Amino acid sequence: MADSKFSEQISRLNPGEMFSFLCHNRVSCFTYCCRELELALSPYDVLRLRLATGLDSAELHERYIIEELTPEDTFPRFFLTMVDDGKASCVFVNDAGCTIYPHRPGACRTYPLGRGTTREQGQVNEQFVLLREPHCKGFQEKTVQTAKSFMNSQELAPFNLFNDRLTAITQHQKIKGGMRLSGTQLALYKLALYDLDTFRARLADNKIESPLTVPDSVFEDDERLLEFALDFIEKLFFDG
């Protein structure tokens, strides 16, 4: 698909603007959007996939996650493995739909919306676009949505919250100014944000020197651990 054709399918959504859309197993294109895609995973996506699969983070990476880091990348990128079935299908989709639906990644929940953010004086400002791909029949449904109502229906609040915290790191002023990570920093970034079980174990064994006080809650609650991990990385990389 040419870039120009792709851009023609994207339109900006104004605040409160309505659109008709609904995805369900009776639309003829059901699960088409689960094929031939590069599904990038955020740290919170990986947290939820651990819950969905019952695997610890190291096992999850070995079985289902691909890591990429090109010379142009400041931070490594993580993608969900696709099945080699001629359609590059998501590893968690079958004819009945998503087998991990309650814990599906944020990108799956957001489609067909696109969400962008900017930060001004500590405030996160949202902008939305709508992607109308020719194969998608969900736009023929009569259910009327706004960006906000759609996000609420897809339970995106925690995904957006953690993604915004990650953006504070990946788009930090020092990164924009050309800061590059050392090998040690790259390893800590991957460990703290994408390998939570190992990170927790090393914190418990005092094998990681933390610039922050480690609260007891990180040993009992995954989301508190990820919150701490984000604070840990931001403090370690940018303070001092």
Side-chain angles (χ1 to χ4, degrees):
M1 183 181 296
D3 289 346
S4 59
K5 290 283 185 69
F6 185 75
S7 63
E8 289 173 2
Q9 298 166 13
I10 299 175
S11 58
R12 190 182 200 95
L13 272 181
N14 296 317
E17 184 177 348
M18 296 181 178
F19 61 97
S20 296
F21 179 83
L22 187 66
C23 180
H24 53 82
N25 61 8
R26 296 183 301 280
V27 294
S28 60
C29 61
F30 186 58
T31 74
Y32 278 27
C33 57
C34 305
R35 304 169 183 167
E36 297 182 357
L37 75 162
E38 289 188 346
L39 185 57
L41 298 173
S42 70
Y44 189 68
D45 289 331
V46 174
L47 183 157
R48 295 292 290 264
L49 288 176
R50 287 166 55 253
L51 297 177
T53 61
L55 300 173
D56 69 29
S57 49
E59 293 172 316
L60 187 71
H61 275 264
E62 183 176 349
R63 293 177 60 175
Y64 295 122
I65 297 177
I66 298 170
E67 178 186 339
E68 291 186 1
L69 180 65
T70 70
E72 293 75 29
D73 292 328
T74 302
F75 296 93
R77 296 177 294 161
F78 298 86
F79 299 90
L80 187 64
T81 300
M82 296 295 150
V83 179
D84 187 15
D85 60 355
K87 298 178 288 188
S89 299
C90 172
V91 69
F92 294 118
V93 73
N94 61 24
D95 290 341
C98 179
T99 61
I100 58 163
Y101 191 77
H103 296 295
R104 66 200 185 280
C108 306
R109 295 167 187 263
T110 305
Y111 184 87
L113 287 183
R115 176 179 179 266
T117 61
T118 57
R119 283 179 173 269
E120 295 179 10
Q121 299 180 340
Q123 293 292 110
V124 176
N125 300 313
E126 298 176 311
Q127 301 88 37
F128 295 97
V129 295
L130 193 62
L131 173 61
R132 294 180 180 268
E133 294 186 285
H135 68 75
C136 183
K137 307 303 179 187
F139 291 102
Q140 298 175 8
E141 298 295 298
K142 295 181 179 179
T143 300
V144 175
Q145 315 265 11
T146 64
K148 291 292 186 182
S149 69
F150 182 76
M151 284 198 305
N152 288 339
S153 72
Q154 300 301 304
E155 299 178 336
L156 273 161
F159 291 84
N160 292 340
L161 178 65
F162 280 104
N163 289 347
D164 291 345
R165 282 288 290 108
L166 181 65
T167 300
I169 293 171
T170 59
Q171 296 185 14
H172 192 277
Q173 287 302 318
K174 288 188 177 181
I175 298 296
K176 290 181 177 180
M179 173 183 170
R180 302 295 291 182
L181 303 184
S182 68
T184 299
Q185 287 174 316
L186 280 171
L188 280 171
Y189 178 87
K190 292 188 288 185
L191 173 69
L193 302 187
Y194 287 90
D195 191 356
L196 285 179
D197 293 298
T198 305
F199 183 56
R200 175 184 277 135
R202 292 187 182 177
L203 286 172
D205 293 339
N206 295 314
K207 292 182 178 179
I208 292 178
E209 185 175 344
S210 173
L212 303 170
T213 301
V214 183
D216 291 339
S217 60
V218 307
F219 301 109
E220 303 167 358
D221 186 287
D222 286 342
E223 292 195 5
R224 300 294 80 76
L225 177 59
L226 183 53
E227 287 176 354
F228 173 80
L230 288 159
D231 291 338
F232 170 89
I233 290 298
E234 190 167 14
K235 178 78 173 177
L236 203 64
F237 285 11
F238 307 125
D239 284 5

